[in-house]
Amino acid sequence: MPDTDSNEQVDALGFDYLDAQPHAAWKVLREHCPVKPLPVPEGDAPVYMVMRHDDIESVFRDPETYSSAIHNETIGPVMGEIILGMDGQEHKDHRDLVARAFRASALAKWDHELIEPTINSLLDEVAPLGRAELVSALTSRYPVQVIAAIVGVPNEDYPKFQQWAEDITSIHLDPPRAIAASQAMAEYLLPIVNDRRANPTDDLISDLVTAEIDGTRLTDERILGFLRLLLPAGAETTFRAMGNCLVALLTHPDVMARVVADRDLIPAVIEETLRWETSVTIVSRNALADAEIAGCPIPNGSTLLLMNSSSGRDESHYDHADEWDIDRKAQNHLFFGTGRHQCLGMHLARLELRIGLDAILTRLPGLRLDPDAPVPVIEGFAFRSPASIPVVFDA
Ligand code: HEM
């Protein structure tokens, strides 16, 4: 049984679990109340935050008990019919349609054709300046251009996607703004979808309009569901992760010097940063049956918030978990989820981060924090990243 006293005791500490700096509260929960019930209105299904690595992993790996359909309630209103919210065979059939395009082997062609030119054209603007704010100048503009090109929308329209991606993912904070962005995106995309039906090319929209499941083509609504998910999933997550990598490096100048001299360390920077501060902090599930996690009864119909960001700091899984240490030999991370819904874009994200960080270190020599500006801080609850990264470098 969950220890009711622990629950009340941690409540008495007065933590705001939605705080932009939640790690201290999460540490207390991992230790004293690893399945934390949240207050809900009378009559609503219970909601639990699941804090520990191994408990989160066991939920990811039990899709029969823990459904992904909850996503249809939370982000369905703005994204439509999405694979993230599908279970079982329906999920497999739909995921298989796009999985091929995001395999590591299929992405290799994008290295030189798309990803390097995209980051380098952004760096062309920044490199001569000697001083910049890297979120507005680089990170927020880079992954959105890559995913827009892979999907097959015109590159010049990427600022629209950047804005729509931000608006759609703000559904919990500002639902009308998110719904307006979702409608605007559909109005923009439908003519492109119709055009690819008439004239298929080699982009992802063409794959989707010609794809069949059991001999039936996808409806517009399903195609839009893919696009409404892929564009924000590809844009918002990775730009934030890149900001987190840069903050980690800039605030650890000794490690920055090692990585500048030895670029083979970049993958370790990426893996360790995603463990220490992942950009996607929460993944939801709903219980399809009565269950139990860490001794806590989970009634059928409960909502579970799997606290991915807390799993990366779990002291029982990682030594000195709060420290950012690129020499750690840790595995079995959950920052891309695991099981059937494991992130479809994880190879793309790692590729963009590796190529992007390498290019930044090459093109902005002597990169360091701007001594005249505030030190950047990683912040947020549902998504975590720095709002700005002021830097100087040798122009
Ligand atoms: C560092 C960057 C990223 C992080 C931290 C991240 C994180 C995640 C996580 C935790 C999930 C699992 C959700 C669940 O189990 O319900 C997921 C799923 C997904 N991600 Fe990512 N992601 C990243 C980048 C990307 C990129 C670049 C794309 C673009 C293609 C993408 C597309 C998706 C899709 C389509 C799914 C749903 C897969 C399914 O339901 O089968 N992600 N991501």
Side-chain angles (χ1 to χ4, degrees), residues 34 43 52 79 104 110 137 140 172 230 250 258 262 308 337 355 360 380 386:
R52 286 186 185 155
M79 290 201 178
W110 297 118
S140 66
H172 305 298
L230 282 171
L250 287 159
R258 280 175 65 198
D262 179 2
N308 250 12
I355 293 175
I360 289 172

Side-chain angles (χ1 to χ4, degrees), residues 241-282:
M242 189 154 189
N244 295 349
C245 289
L246 286 165
V247 169
L249 281 169
L250 287 159
T251 53
H252 295 79
D254 50 333
V255 183
M256 170 74 100
R258 280 175 65 198
V259 179
V260 167
D262 179 2
R263 305 305 168 84
D264 289 345
L265 292 173
I266 290 177
V269 169
I270 296 167
E271 300 305 297
E272 174 62 354
T273 305
L274 285 168
R275 177 202 67 81
W276 178 69
E277 279 290 11
T278 180
S279 47
V280 179
T281 60
I282 308 171

Side-chain angles (χ1 to χ4, degrees), residues 21-191:
Q21 292 306 344
H23 281 300
W26 291 352
K27 193 183 187 95
V28 173
L29 289 181
R30 276 193 302 277
E31 198 173 333
H32 298 288
C33 191
V35 182
K36 172 81 184 84
L38 292 184
V40 289
E42 179 95 26
D44 277 16
V47 178
Y48 298 93
M49 289 165 72
V50 184
M51 308 306 300
R52 286 186 185 155
H53 181 284
D54 293 357
D55 295 333
I56 294 174
E57 183 174 11
S58 66
V59 174
F60 274 132
R61 293 199 176 277
D62 185 1
E64 271 72 40
T65 309
Y66 301 107
S67 164
S68 290
I70 183 76
H71 292 303
N72 300 328
E73 285 168 38
T74 51
I75 50 177
V78 281
M79 290 201 178
E81 299 173 13
I82 47 172
I83 56 170
L84 204 60
M86 294 176 190
D87 288 328
Q89 192 61 39
E90 184 188 33
H91 169 255
K92 183 177 179 323
D93 288 343
H94 285 80
R95 182 171 164 123
D96 283 353
L97 296 179
V98 287
R100 201 165 22 103
F102 291 100
R103 271 188 214 131
S105 53
L107 292 171
K109 70 169 177 174
W110 297 118
D111 276 26
H112 304 302
E113 256 178 52
L114 173 64
I115 302 179
E116 279 174 17
T118 303
I119 187 71
N120 275 310
S121 82
L122 292 169
L123 280 163
D124 287 344
E125 290 173 35
V126 175
L129 304 177
R131 177 181 296 262
E133 193 288 285
L134 295 183
V135 174
S136 54
L138 280 185
T139 60
S140 66
R141 298 165 68 192
Y142 163 53
V144 68
Q145 293 191 44
V146 172
I147 190 72
I150 292 176
V151 165
V153 294
N155 185 267
E156 61 273 18
D157 290 334
Y158 89 84
K160 287 187 190 147
F161 283 98
Q162 194 181 340
Q163 190 58 52
W164 289 333
E166 200 185 311
D167 291 353
I168 283 178
T169 46
S170 73
I171 169 84
H172 305 298
L173 301 172
D174 190 349
R177 180 172 138 212
I179 286 168
S182 165
Q183 282 163 354
M185 205 165 160
E187 279 161 27
Y188 171 90
L189 287 168
L190 269 177

Side-chain angles (χ1 to χ4, degrees), residues 316-337:
S316 64
H317 197 83
Y318 301 106
D319 291 336
H320 55 277
D322 286 336
E323 274 172 47
W324 183 76
D325 172 7
I326 67 162
D327 298 315
R328 119 180 12 256
K329 301 279 176 270
Q331 286 185 348
N332 195 18
H333 303 298
L334 298 177
F335 45 71
F336 287 125

Side-chain angles (χ1 to χ4, degrees), residues 362-381:
T362 301
R363 301 279 314 272
L364 308 181
L367 185 68
R368 57 205 180 273
L369 290 173
D370 183 340
D372 300 324
V375 174
V377 177
I378 298 170
E379 59 191 352
F381 180 74

